[in-house]
Amino acid sequence: ITDVTTITVDNIAPTASNPSPITVFCTSDVPTTDIMVVIDEADNCTVNPTVTFISNVSDGGTNPEIITRTYRITDNSGNSTDVFQTITVSPATITGQPSDLSVIVGNDGVFSVSANNIDTYQWQLSTNGGVSFNNLTDGSEYSGTQTTTLTTIKPNVDKNGYVFRVIVSNSGSISCAPVVSNEAILITLVGSVITNKRITYRIIKN
């Protein structure tokens, strides 16, 4: 009696594409691992190859930080393929702080801020030296209260010493804390105009 047995050795690894990269604005927004982000795993022998999470590896950066997340696809024969998802952490940061501002009574004053990865601004005012702050809204006294530039419209001497700041954030964030700017003081100055021989001088009274 003769018998012939054919043994087929599967040494072909499964296939899959790298999951789509994502960008978040703080580490608390980094999503939890999810094998469902691997959507096209396939194998020549195994109908449903297994997907497992392997590791998160950070490049150690701070702005941005790049995290490489690895998933492994394994077939019934033990062959495997790794795929990689890139997670970029780009924090919302203030790059240009508002600064103290001196304004002659009767003129407008402008505070400004510059920031990265920011799309939401809220200027605030303190009338008690920075002990407490309230949100500002556009009106007869202020404009641009939710933009990069706050205009104080012709402030009077009673606003001398008012303290301003801005809170910034990114609306795409899930749980990142807003960023608060430095405080900036408004200084109002009384000015007088003297005209002599068709030349106009402005005298500032300290």
Side-chain angles (χ1 to χ4, degrees):
I1 299 174
T2 302
D3 186 21
V4 177
T5 301
T6 302
I7 301 174
T8 301
V9 178
D10 177 17
N11 58 3
I12 300 175
T15 60
S17 301
N18 291 327
S20 298
I22 59 175
T23 298
V24 296
F25 302 103
C26 62
T27 54
S28 59
D29 268 0
V30 174
T32 58
T33 60
D34 180 10
I35 62 173
M36 300 304 294
V37 298
V38 182
I39 59 175
D40 61 351
E41 65 274 20
D43 186 68
N44 63 315
C45 292
T46 303
V47 176
N48 295 308
T50 302
V51 180
T52 55
F53 164 72
I54 300 301
S55 65
N56 283 331
V57 177
S58 171
D59 69 347
T62 56
N63 193 1
E65 176 189 11
I66 306 298
I67 298 172
T68 301
R69 176 170 288 177
T70 303
Y71 293 96
R72 180 164 295 163
I73 299 90
T74 307
D75 65 17
N76 290 343
S77 298
N79 303 304
S80 64
T81 297
D82 288 349
V83 295
F84 309 96
Q85 183 178 38
T86 300
I87 303 172
T88 303
V89 184
S90 294
T93 55
I94 293 176
T95 56
Q97 297 282 353
S99 56
D100 294 348
L101 179 65
S102 295
V103 178
I104 297 174
V105 172
N107 294 332
D108 292 343
V110 177
F111 293 99
S112 63
V113 67
S114 57
N116 288 334
N117 301 318
I118 295 296
D119 62 5
T120 303
Y121 301 83
Q122 178 59 65
W123 287 89
Q124 295 185 321
L125 166 66
S126 173
T127 59
N128 54 13
V131 176
S132 59
F133 284 84
N134 295 306
N135 290 344
L136 291 172
T137 57
D138 289 355
S140 60
E141 295 181 295
Y142 304 100
S143 65
T145 57
Q146 296 183 0
T147 70
T148 58
T149 303
L150 172 71
T151 300
T152 61
I153 302 172
K154 296 180 174 53
N156 292 320
V157 291
D158 61 339
K159 290 185 171 58
N160 185 59
Y162 276 15
V163 182
F164 297 83
R165 71 182 187 185
V166 61
I167 296 178
V168 300
S169 60
N170 191 296
S171 60
S173 169
I174 299 172
S175 56
C176 302
V179 180
V180 182
S181 76
N182 293 346
E183 298 174 3
I185 300 174
L186 175 66
I187 302 168
T188 56
L189 304 172
V190 177
S192 299
V193 174
I194 298 176
T195 300
N196 182 25
K197 296 181 180 180
R198 298 183 180 179
I199 299 176
T200 299
Y201 303 88
R202 182 176 294 277
I203 301 174
I204 300 175
K205 298 179 181 180
N206 293 326

